[in-house]
Amino acid sequence: MRHRATGLALLLAAALAATAVPAATAGSGRADGTDHAADDPFTADRTNWFRQDRFGMFIHFGAYSNLEGEYKRPDGSTCRNAEWIKRECDIPMDEYEKQAQNFNPADFDAKAIVKAAKDAGMRYIVITSKHHEGYAMWPTKVNDWNLRDHSSFDKNRDILAELKKASDDAGIKLGFYYSIWDWHDKDFPDPATFPKYEKRMYAQLKELVDTYDPALLWFDGEWDTDKPHNPWTARDGERLESYLRGLDPDLVINNRVGKRRVVDGDYGTPEQEIPGAPVDGQLWESCMTLNDHWGYARHDQNWKSAQTLTRNLLATTSRSGNYLLNVGPDARGRVPQPSVDRLRQMGDWLRTAGQGEAVFGARYGGLVEEPAWGHVSRKGDKLYAAVTQWPATGGSLHLKVRTDFEVKSARVLGSDQKVTVTRSGDGYDIKPSGAATNDTATVVELRVDPGPTSRPGRGKGLKQEIFDNENLEGAPRITRTDATLNHSWKYTGSPAASIPADRFSIRWTGSVEPRRSETYTLTTVSDDMARVWIDGKLVIDSWTPHEPRLDKAEVRLTAGRRHSIKVEYAERTGEAHLKLLWSSPGQEQQVIPRSQLYTR
Ligand code: H79
């Protein structure tokens, strides 16, 4: 049995003592060669599951769920919202706390939820461990504003532990949403007391990582806002991300851990929208509601159709993104039946005739332009054209190519109709002989020969000269070989112990050897300044000091040929970042790998 007052105080003290919070760094901070870029998320083993799995379930569940989207004001009128109901309906804190005392999600059935995810074809789950209301959905020792200590729920139950067990049993990955913005903690809004809140936040996150071993952390509430004021800064993000990676280096973390920029976390988080193309410089995952609310809202029956949702998943995959689709359990913890039905229908489509091949392990089509009639994804030597507008009898589908490649054969999944492919104009005409197989998307599988890709090179990186001034002046302090241009020194780090965190510059020289003869897009992510020359020609010139930004250039590169490359970089003050990525129709975006970079 737990003794509320003294017991909690002791546990809290213990939890805080056990949590080593890195000291906030003053001024330019330490400069000990810290590089926060441990790997390239586009290719790392760490992120492999995330890049293959593509489809996940978001669960919004909290003390707001108990109100089911409706608040009766003292004057008798009704205010509607969902997870933002406390703030949007101006519910006084004591009243909000009072209603939470009645929260009893006795019907929360982790196995049923995991089954609904599995039936949908989903491969991971992300549940709100704490939303903006600050209410923890696990028995945290940090405070008593949580599902065990402030509810009418069974004190012996722990829904996150239940979900973890059920997910593990089903081979589904589990991640946690955690809101930085906190409406309940009194220390949150005031920058003077904010560090006290931050300590508790670190302690809660350590509890989550240590207790439930999540695969992923999904932050939110990192933006500048009021009511309550949000003091969160990019520096806070740097510290938090590095703390978490210290707890578990395998964690996949979204970009809202910082300030939602291309340099924050592992992946971008478009919300309620699907970008029209792969996102530059970052993995990404689009999160979306099944109706118009994240948390349960009894009044909201505006459900998207399974057809729309499945097409959204196809669109997302065809641009190398993930789709995180939300359910909001009700006050009793039950997932609404209309949600379960739609998820089941999506799964039915994915399980039919191998159509799931167009999604799982698949990515940006690349070799072809995205057509108006559907979405094209690629998996190895297969292109999957998911056709949403099937041609009339005798008609054909045109694919505009972005590079030279051969189509070896074509078939319609789930149909034995003949498909004729002919070269035509700027690409190929695909002419099916029969009807669409279903109303959602009919998949034409094209076996392709993408053309020659030479074997990996034997490069060891570029020559790197580091200067302890911002103008590449004088003799370099350090000359060495740098394996990849994948650096994230942020505020506190620097390229080496002898180099300060501010006011340094770097020149890389050598050559780059592509494995395919194609037009490549070179991308730099830089802060403060960067420029790139290929074969002596300046192709990226981003030499005015800036915040983290992305620049691109198109260059024609020839397989097996070493093209000379020079990159210059300068850091004045503040954050420091420099990444160099490439992509081509046949090569997905990635940091240029070491094997393709040579010192000469
Ligand atoms: O957790 C979900 C949302 O609660 C959260 N992020 C997802 C994953 C979210 N935070 N902000 N937003 C979504 C967008 C903000 C919308 C706003 Fe409003 C418009 C804030 C105030 C006006 C929508 C309408 C939310 C409250 C009223």
Side-chain angles (χ1 to χ4, degrees):
M1 194 187 135
R2 296 180 53 201
H3 303 279
R4 259 288 176 83
T6 55
L8 185 72
L10 284 172
L11 286 166
L12 176 58
L16 292 181
T19 308
V21 179
T25 40
S28 60
R30 57 179 212 263
D32 53 2
T34 301
D35 192 332
H36 297 276
D39 58 27
D40 171 18
F42 284 107
T43 53
D45 287 344
R46 179 177 67 85
T47 56
N48 190 51
W49 71 268
F50 184 80
R51 287 180 280 116
Q52 308 299 320
D53 285 0
R54 291 291 178 232
F55 190 23
M57 173 186 272
F58 216 171
I59 305 177
H60 272 70
F61 194 41
Y64 48 83
S65 309
N66 194 42
L67 294 172
E68 302 203 325
E70 290 188 4
Y71 170 60
K72 273 242 180 310
R73 294 199 188 91
D75 69 3
S77 64
T78 300
C79 179
R80 289 175 163 175
N81 197 280
E83 76 283 356
W84 282 57
I85 197 165
K86 157 85 184 71
R87 182 181 187 271
E88 296 304 296
C89 297
D90 289 312
I91 306 177
M93 189 53 85
D94 56 341
E95 246 185 88
Y96 196 72
E97 286 179 351
K98 214 165 124 198
Q99 70 82 21
Q101 198 66 63
N102 304 326
F103 188 28
N104 184 14
D107 297 330
F108 183 92
D109 181 346
K111 274 195 198 155
I113 291 174
V114 168
K115 183 174 187 303
K118 194 104 185 163
D119 285 352
M122 291 163 158
R123 308 231 164 141
Y124 64 106
I125 292 176
V126 180
I127 185 168
T128 48
S129 65
K130 188 198 90 168
H131 205 266
H132 310 329
E133 61 177 4
Y135 187 84
M137 294 300 281
W138 78 101
T140 176
K141 297 179 174 100
V142 171
N143 60 38
D144 57 11
W145 181 228
N146 68 70
L147 180 57
R148 175 170 297 174
D149 299 323
H150 193 111
S151 72
S152 299
F153 191 45
D154 184 341
K155 302 276 177 245
N156 295 311
R157 289 186 61 183
D158 172 351
I159 65 162
L160 297 196
E162 291 169 10
L163 202 55
K164 173 65 180 171
K165 169 81 169 61
S167 300
D168 277 355
D169 290 349
I172 287 207
K173 293 242 175 351
L174 182 65
F176 297 128
Y177 169 109
Y178 188 95
S179 174
I180 290 164
W181 199 26
D182 192 306
W183 303 338
H184 191 267
D185 194 300
K186 291 190 172 53
D187 288 329
F188 180 83
D190 182 351
T193 56
F194 187 72
K196 292 206 267 179
Y197 163 78
E198 240 175 333
K199 253 193 162 176
R200 286 191 284 275
M201 178 174 83
Y202 275 57
Q204 285 201 325
L205 289 164
K206 183 165 171 23
E207 283 181 355
L208 287 171
V209 171
D210 289 352
T211 314
Y212 310 102
D213 190 25
L216 177 153
L217 290 176
W218 211 107
F219 288 93
D220 201 8
E222 88 296 349
W223 58 85
D224 298 342
T225 184
D226 283 300
K227 227 188 114 179
H229 170 71
N230 190 348
W232 193 250
T233 64
R235 258 180 207 274
D236 291 317
E238 169 174 343
R239 217 155 56 85
L240 177 58
E241 191 177 339
S242 120
Y243 173 70
L244 296 167
R245 301 212 187 274
L247 290 182
D248 179 359
D250 289 336
L251 278 169
V252 174
I253 305 176
N254 75 345
N255 65 342
R256 301 186 191 183
V257 68
K259 280 298 208 181
R260 209 186 287 208
R261 306 165 306 172
V262 66
V263 295
D264 294 322
D266 292 314
Y267 70 91
T269 50
E271 181 166 324
Q272 301 286 36
E273 60 173 351
I274 297 169
V279 170
D280 291 325
Q282 235 180 5
L283 300 174
W284 64 276
E285 173 201 66
S286 167
C287 58
M288 199 176 281
T289 50
L290 274 169
N291 55 2
D292 294 325
H293 291 83
W294 299 96
Y296 183 81
R298 205 184 310 142
H299 61 273
D300 182 357
Q301 296 299 323
N302 189 27
W303 304 99
K304 296 175 182 72
S305 69
Q307 181 194 66
T308 297
L309 296 163
T310 306
R311 289 177 173 182
N312 283 349
L313 174 60
L314 289 162
T316 303
T317 301
S318 75
R319 299 160 196 163
S320 289
N322 286 16
Y323 197 40
L324 188 65
L325 198 48
N326 181 72
V327 298
D330 66 12
R332 299 290 296 181
R334 296 167 301 205
V335 176
Q337 194 59 41
S339 299
V340 176
D341 292 344
R342 280 153 185 80
L343 296 183
R344 171 87 216 178
Q345 288 164 17
M346 292 181 81
D348 286 344
W349 187 92
L350 289 165
R351 277 183 295 270
T352 300
Q355 288 168 169
E357 292 295 297
V359 171
F360 305 114
R363 43 113 170 158
Y364 179 46
L367 300 171
V368 297
E369 298 278 350
E370 181 166 319
W373 44 260
H375 305 289
V376 184
S377 61
R378 179 175 172 190
K379 186 171 180 174
D381 66 352
K382 306 267 177 51
L383 284 183
Y384 291 95
V387 185
T388 53
Q389 287 163 263
W390 196 252
T393 312
S396 61
L397 301 158
H398 186 70
L399 268 181
K400 182 177 175 186
V401 303
R402 298 179 66 225
T403 188
D404 202 22
F405 72 94
E406 295 262 332
V407 177
K408 302 304 236 185
S409 64
R411 63 181 182 126
V412 173
L413 299 187
S415 160
D416 51 16
Q417 66 185 272
K418 199 166 137 44
V419 183
T420 318
V421 181
T422 49
R423 281 196 188 259
S424 163
D426 56 12
Y428 288 99
D429 278 342
I430 303 165
K431 193 168 169 182
S433 61
T437 61
N438 69 92
D439 292 338
T440 299
T442 297
V443 179
V444 181
E445 181 195 81
L446 304 167
R447 206 161 55 80
V448 302
D449 177 353
T453 299
S454 62
R455 289 197 317 199
R458 293 160 178 273
K460 301 224 172 342
L462 296 180
K463 178 181 176 190
Q464 183 192 40
E465 296 170 297
I466 308 173
F467 302 81
D468 59 5
N469 61 71
E470 65 190 64
N471 302 316
L472 301 144
E473 270 170 9
R477 279 292 296 269
I478 297 170
T479 300
R480 63 189 182 190
T481 302
D482 190 20
T484 58
L485 278 61
N486 182 26
H487 302 294
S488 198
W489 300 292
K490 300 194 177 180
Y491 289 101
T492 58
S494 75
S498 59
I499 302 295
D502 288 331
R503 309 211 182 274
F504 63 87
S505 50
I506 305 177
R507 180 182 297 121
W508 290 267
T509 50
S511 59
V512 58
E513 180 194 326
R515 295 176 58 196
R516 299 173 55 81
S517 294
E518 286 186 315
T519 297
Y520 280 76
T521 302
L522 295 184
T523 302
T524 53
V525 176
S526 69
D527 175 354
D528 293 337
M529 303 143 78
R531 51 192 171 200
V532 179
W533 289 259
I534 296 287
D535 293 330
K537 187 173 165 238
L538 182 62
V539 292
I540 289 177
D541 187 1
S542 196
W543 207 253
T544 16
H546 48 254
E547 299 283 289
R549 69 170 261 164
L550 208 136
D551 292 279
K552 297 203 279 186
E554 307 240 299
V555 292
R556 181 80 203 170
L557 300 177
T558 307
R561 201 191 126 197
R562 294 202 195 168
H563 296 264
S564 83
I565 182 169
K566 179 167 80 169
V567 180
E568 288 182 347
Y569 168 79
E571 153 69 353
R572 290 183 175 175
T573 57
E575 274 182 278
H577 298 270
L578 190 277
K579 286 176 195 284
L580 179 65
L581 302 99
W582 67 3
S583 67
S584 72
Q587 166 62 62
E588 194 173 26
Q589 175 175 216
Q590 59 172 208
V591 170
I592 301 181
R594 172 180 190 248
S595 61
Q596 307 311 121
L597 297 172
Y598 300 84
T599 52
R600 308 196 298 161

